[in-house]
Amino acid sequence: MRNICVIGGSRYFGKHLVELEREAGNKVTVINRGSTPRLPGTTRLVADRDDERQLREALGARTFDVVFDQVAYTPEQAATARRVFEGRTGRYVMTSTMEVYDPATFAALPTGPEGPLLAEDRLDLAALPPAREPSRAGDAPDPATAYAEGKRRAEAVLLTDPAFDTVTVRTAHVLGGGSADFTGRLAHYVERIAAGRPVDIHADPRPTSFVHHEEIARFLHWTGSGTFTGPVNAASHGALTVTELCDLIAAGTGRRPRYRTVPGGGAASPFSFDRSYAMDNGRAARLGFGFGRVEDWLPGAAAEARADALVRTG
């Protein structure tokens, strides 16, 4: 039996991860702010991870074999975790995002025509420029840029001179789960296509990467048991453009998707991108993990979302 800590993990695929750890016979401690019920079979510690003193007090003298960090969004949070968990764990797994590769949020990754899938070494964390301080109140980055930049810098804190064996899992867009999917992005497409409403897309949409919510939980669980370190991409095989995504969703509705092209710079539906940054999952494969194919699990996930929509609408 191993001693596992999960920071966050109270919803969506984090709950699946906790379930997998429990099913493996491990002792699981979940750290959150106490706003959700305690997960069955776990020990819950209530603490604000941004408050280092409170986090240390909640942990007491506890140590862990593996820490899964589901909610590290900023370099400050990563630095706090690095200090607090140094000497408490031998392995630290941070859930990051494919958005770290988005050229629209990082000038060092130029936007260009569709190219090869991006491997982990495409992003040089050691070459990140100094963080830019807003010069005035209205100069703050947009939420998407702030999210991607926060994840890049959080990775850099944990992977530069690491205090423990560290893995940063760059997760593709997570789909599936019906009502459990709090993002509602798959439901957006399922409901629009079923109702015959148009989907807003770019004139030349580029492919992106996806992963099933249960698959990413299995990958995180598997990663916790490994010995490798560094960044690793987590994505199902088969990058899709938004129209390819809609075609797979529509296959179960008997309707053809309708599209509306947005003007240059306009806001499109989720997963419509005018730049390509789909991920190469080759490192995970070489390490021994076999991802499935999007085309195999997406129809089932779409059916689950349609069933959930029927329940909600009566």
Side-chain angles (χ1 to χ4, degrees), residues 210-212 214-223 228 232-238 280-294 296-297:
F210 299 94
V211 67
H212 191 264
E214 293 177 349
E215 187 172 46
I216 187 59
R218 290 195 300 271
F219 182 73
L220 288 167
H221 171 65
W222 176 84
T223 299
F228 63 92
V232 60
N233 293 339
S236 298
H237 297 293
D280 182 339
N281 62 14
R283 185 182 187 219
R286 291 188 296 273
L287 288 167
F289 189 88
F291 282 103
R293 298 193 62 83
V294 178
D296 291 334
W297 57 256

Side-chain angles (χ1 to χ4, degrees), residues 26-304:
N26 296 325
K27 179 181 178 181
V28 182
T29 298
V30 177
I31 301 175
N32 58 36
R33 290 177 294 182
S35 58
T36 55
R38 182 181 66 83
L39 296 175
T42 68
T43 297
R44 181 172 68 173
L45 303 179
V46 176
D48 182 347
R49 67 164 304 154
D50 293 318
D51 186 327
E52 183 169 341
R53 179 189 60 78
Q54 187 181 105
L55 184 56
R56 288 185 183 276
E57 289 179 354
L59 286 166
R62 292 177 175 85
T63 59
F64 305 96
D65 297 294
V66 185
V67 174
F68 293 97
D69 192 342
Q70 293 286 91
V71 289
Y73 298 113
T74 69
E76 292 79 15
Q77 290 175 332
T80 295
R82 188 185 186 283
R83 291 190 297 269
V84 170
F85 286 97
E86 184 171 12
R88 293 180 185 269
T89 188
R91 188 162 181 80
Y92 200 94
V93 180
M94 172 193 160
T95 299
S96 187
T97 173
M98 69 178 295
E99 307 301 338
V100 299
Y101 297 115
D102 187 355
T105 67
F106 189 29
L109 295 170
T111 301
E114 182 181 335
L117 300 179
L118 296 174
E120 290 82 359
D121 60 3
R122 181 65 181 85
L123 176 62
D124 184 0
L125 294 171
L128 292 180
R132 183 178 64 87
E133 293 293 333
S135 59
R136 56 185 182 279
D139 195 31
D142 65 89
T145 299
Y147 174 71
E149 181 68 0
K151 287 290 191 179
R152 280 190 288 264
R153 295 190 181 280
E155 283 197 41
V157 168
L158 291 170
L159 292 173
T160 302
D161 188 24
F164 24 63
D165 287 350
T166 302
V167 181
T168 58
V169 177
R170 295 173 179 169
T171 306
H173 303 297
V174 183
L175 294 181
S179 59
D181 181 3
F182 65 93
T183 68
R185 293 174 298 183
L186 180 57
H188 167 86
Y189 288 103
V190 167
E191 293 171 11
R192 293 193 77 83
I193 293 170
R197 298 198 301 272
V199 175
D200 292 335
I201 65 171
H202 293 94
D204 184 21
R206 300 295 183 174
T208 190
S209 296
F210 299 94
V211 67
H212 191 264
H213 68 118
E214 293 177 349
E215 187 172 46
I216 187 59
R218 290 195 300 271
F219 182 73
L220 288 167
H221 171 65
W222 176 84
T223 299
S225 300
T227 58
F228 63 92
T229 60
V232 60
N233 293 339
S236 298
H237 297 293
L240 302 176
T241 65
V242 65
T243 55
E244 291 169 334
L245 175 76
C246 288
D247 285 343
L248 284 172
I249 293 171
T253 67
R255 306 189 69 115
R256 291 177 61 86
R258 295 177 54 215
Y259 301 109
R260 181 170 55 200
T261 302
V262 300
S269 294
F271 310 135
S272 180
F273 296 101
D274 57 0
R275 67 275 182 194
S276 179
Y277 59 105
M279 295 192 299
D280 182 339
N281 62 14
R283 185 182 187 219
R286 291 188 296 273
L287 288 167
F289 189 88
F291 282 103
R293 298 193 62 83
V294 178
E295 63 188 29
D296 291 334
W297 57 256
L298 184 60
E304 191 177 29

